[in-house]
Amino acid sequence: RDIAVFCGALFVAWEKNWRAFFNVVPRILGKVATAFQFLLFLSFVGLNMIPQWLLVSAILISILSAVDYTYLFFKNNFYREMKDA
């Protein structure tokens, strides 16, 4: 998810314009996915184990977040030529 978001942000900033880049705001699913990924990391480091429910939750929320950011990308037509206002 993070690689897809990074590549999408890089595309918007590089190919279109920086104004479009700054119009992309953080989404709640992205924040929740980051929190679950961090909990996953902490459980691995602190407990030397990963609970299955946490792994499945982190994967599903990350996928939903990637879909949400992809929807935002196409909804705002970032893939088309943007005009300066």
Side-chain angles (χ1 to χ4, degrees):
R1 176 193 68 94
D2 292 328
I3 292 171
V5 169
F6 175 76
C7 290
L10 189 62
F11 171 78
V12 169
W14 186 265
E15 289 293 323
K16 303 306 175 188
N17 61 41
W18 285 100
R19 191 176 319 131
F21 176 78
F22 289 110
N23 285 338
V24 179
V25 296
R27 308 282 282 188
I28 188 68
L29 273 175
K31 298 290 186 180
V32 172
T34 300
F36 270 84
Q37 292 169 0
F38 188 69
L39 286 173
L40 192 70
F41 173 75
L42 285 179
S43 72
F44 179 72
V45 171
L47 304 174
N48 289 330
M49 63 174 274
I50 298 175
Q52 185 174 359
W53 69 268
L54 185 57
L55 178 63
V56 170
S57 297
I59 290 170
L60 290 176
I61 293 170
S62 295
I63 290 170
L64 287 173
S65 176
V67 168
D68 186 45
Y69 277 109
T70 302
Y71 167 76
L72 181 67
F73 180 81
F74 286 105
K75 176 185 167 204
N76 290 309
N77 297 323
F78 288 138
Y79 60 93
R80 293 187 182 150
E81 188 65 34
M82 296 186 75
K83 308 238 186 233
D84 289 329

